[in-house]
Amino acid sequence: MNGKSPEFARRRAFLGTLLAGIGAVLGAAALYPVWRFLAPRKGAEAQDQVALSRDQVPLGGAHFFNFRGRPAVVLQTRAGHFTAFSAVCTHLGCVIQWQAAEQRFLCPCHAGLFSADGTVLGGPPPRPLESLAVTLRDDQILVG
Amino acid sequence: MSLRKLVVDWLDVRLGIRDLLEQNLTNYLLPRNINIWYTLGAVLLTLFGLQFVTGILLLVYYVPDTEQAFASVQAIMNEVPYGWLIRNLHAVGSNLIVVALLLHMLSVLFMNAYKKPRELTWLSGFLIFNLTLALCLTGYLLPWSQLSFWATTVATEAPGAIPVIGDDIVRFLRGGAMVGDTTLGRFFALHVMGLPLVFGLLVGFHLFCVRRAGVSRPPFGPDYRGEPERFTFEHEHHAGGIPFFPNYAVKDGAVICFFLAVLAALVFFAPNLFIPPSAFEPADPFVTPPRIKPEWYFLWAYQTLKVFPSELIGLGIQGVFMTLLALLPFLDRSAERRPARRPLFVVCFVLGIVVFIGISVWGHLS
Ligand code: FES
């Protein structure tokens, strides 16, 4: 075994590479199903538009609902005028609350404040709330 | 190369890993005449590892609730990507494990490897065997199908034959008078946590025993040497033997690949070989399906119970048989390990296999 000729070393390297290659292929073949098994599936999240009825949203009030798997909020600031935002705070992802008396949003986690049009009034949030498209049809509010 | 050396160097300074590897791989010598039956331990270790992984994966989607269990298993089979693969590997794998376990036990028996100083190895292996059967039994209930429900009803009914305390044992096993929510709860806890925990410890101990005492020399051919009379501990290291790595590890790997190929063939081409149609209906406590039979590896027990007029006698015989098997190394104390020189033992061995198969086939057909 001491006489390791270059020939021997070459064969050895070849076999090693071959084995490693086969191992990698088999490993990938085993991991792919596991990854697919565990990967989250598109469910309600794929659903595009959410329909709400107008009387769910009081004047000067807010209504929270589920939009593509995340919380969102729709406001009626003036009669017949609706705006919608993602209710996820842009700081660290807490869900904002609507303060009807002050007509603004408060994030309870680190006291971020947003105005009724989503802009930051104070606190740590770096960006305004993500606003969502709203269309009105009959007495329905379509978001998204 | 240099990266590998870097990693190994780093670990070596802290754990002495080179020394460990050398002791347990390249310098760990096995008897020259070691045969292929010795690979079954590694096969079992691999199959159990696979059960562990697929079991954890199934746990992600399975719901242990009598209202939802069946539907959650259906969802795993039909909706979750590759759910059918994971579940069939787990279900079919358990059957293959029992096959490998029986072969492992039979080879150890035939080669008389259970004898002094390996009594503890045998005993821990015997407990592992029983725990495996308990895992099979508790896992059977979880899909909450007709098959699960009634197989469990029948299996938990057996201790009822014991006088005085029998009924209490049955109630305790089921957590109530009948198989129901409470049974599912305790079987689930046992199957995913309780039994695997004890199981893992026992496997560790079993491997420790094997490594510590040293592998037994196959009792065949001119290489065989009788066991010296031992009064103190002595590790049996086979000077002049073959290294575990790479020589025997390659053989281990080949047999493991063979078993995995069988598993894959079953999973892809005959996944329902071990799964009768009543496994595809949700459990209904008010309708017993006809011809309820246990899995093939419990058929012998099922048939013994049917053959004897009194269930108690049947249970007693099973108990005596299992106890004898567990205590075999303490009863069979002669140092002779060559089957050729132990005709009585070989006759019992062969008869035992024939009777086991005969009773099982009878149970299957009756
Ligand atoms: S998460 Fe909203 S202020 Fe920090």
Side-chain angles (χ1 to χ4, degrees), chain B residues 289-312:
Chain B
R291 314 186 116 253
I292 272 294
K293 289 232 173 77
E295 299 120 295
W296 61 269
Y297 41 85
F298 286 132
L299 278 173
W300 67 278
Y302 162 84
Q303 190 61 19
T304 0
L305 283 187
K306 284 207 314 196
V307 170
F308 290 98
S310 131
E311 243 182 292
L312 188 58

Side-chain angles (χ1 to χ4, degrees), chain B residues 34-340:
Chain B
I34 193 165
N35 57 39
I36 203 156
W37 294 96
Y38 282 68
T39 60
L40 285 166
V43 168
L44 281 163
L45 212 53
T46 311
L47 291 178
F48 280 126
L50 200 61
Q51 291 299 102
F52 187 69
V53 173
T54 51
I56 290 177
L57 288 173
L58 289 174
L59 214 43
V60 173
Y61 294 109
Y62 173 75
V63 187
D65 176 297
T66 49
E67 301 285 314
Q68 298 171 58
F70 188 79
S72 73
V73 174
Q74 293 307 101
I76 290 173
M77 290 298 280
N78 301 319
E79 285 161 31
V80 181
Y82 295 96
W84 58 272
L85 179 65
I86 307 290
R87 179 178 178 227
N88 282 337
L89 280 175
H90 198 73
V92 176
S94 68
N95 283 278
L96 205 59
I97 279 182
V98 179
V99 173
L101 263 179
L102 289 176
L103 291 177
H104 189 44
M105 275 178 87
L106 286 177
S107 74
V108 166
L109 272 177
F110 188 73
M111 296 192 273
N112 285 260
Y114 54 85
K115 288 190 169 174
K116 186 182 172 187
R118 301 191 173 81
E119 295 97 328
L120 291 175
T121 322
W122 171 263
L123 210 56
S124 56
F126 181 81
L127 290 177
I128 289 173
F129 174 66
N130 283 283
L131 272 185
T132 307
L133 294 184
L135 278 163
C136 288
L137 190 80
T138 48
Y140 220 51
L141 180 66
L142 303 187
W144 207 248
S145 64
Q146 275 290 68
L147 182 69
S148 313
F149 186 89
W150 295 103
T152 307
T153 301
V154 174
T156 50
E157 190 65 53
I162 299 169
V164 191
I165 49 166
D167 284 336
D168 287 327
I169 297 181
V170 174
R171 275 188 72 87
F172 185 81
L173 287 176
R174 292 180 181 167
M178 295 292 290
V179 173
D181 291 299
T182 45
T183 325
L184 185 62
R186 55 189 59 210
F187 274 39
F188 177 70
L190 278 177
H191 188 75
V192 307
M193 194 68 220
L195 296 174
L197 202 66
V198 183
F199 186 90
L201 293 175
L202 269 173
V203 168
F205 179 69
H206 189 71
L207 291 176
F208 174 77
C209 289
V210 172
R211 183 69 191 88
R212 190 80 180 130
V215 165
S216 73
R217 193 182 289 267
F220 310 114
D223 272 343
Y224 173 75
R225 242 163 288 142
E227 302 279 329
E229 190 58 36
R230 281 200 185 90
F231 300 101
T232 50
F233 172 76
E234 193 193 328
H235 172 77
E236 189 167 355
H237 45 90
H238 305 271
I242 59 169
F244 171 72
F245 184 88
N247 302 38
Y248 201 68
V250 169
K251 202 171 234 174
D252 269 345
V255 182
I256 288 172
C257 286
F258 171 76
F259 270 84
L260 290 181
V262 171
L263 179 61
L266 287 171
V267 165
F268 287 112
F269 300 112
N272 296 340
L273 184 64
F274 302 110
I275 307 177
S278 48
F280 302 107
E281 292 161 34
D284 181 348
F286 299 104
V287 182
T288 308
R291 314 186 116 253
I292 272 294
K293 289 232 173 77
E295 299 120 295
W296 61 269
Y297 41 85
F298 286 132
L299 278 173
W300 67 278
Y302 162 84
Q303 190 61 19
T304 0
L305 283 187
K306 284 207 314 196
V307 170
F308 290 98
S310 131
E311 243 182 292
L312 188 58
I313 300 181
L315 273 187
I317 289 187
Q318 286 172 21
V320 167
F321 174 72
M322 289 307 258
T323 313
L324 282 181
L325 202 58
L327 299 182
L328 188 61
F330 302 99
L331 304 171
D332 176 10
R333 300 169 62 93
S334 80
E336 181 57 64
R337 288 181 45 222
R338 278 167 293 188

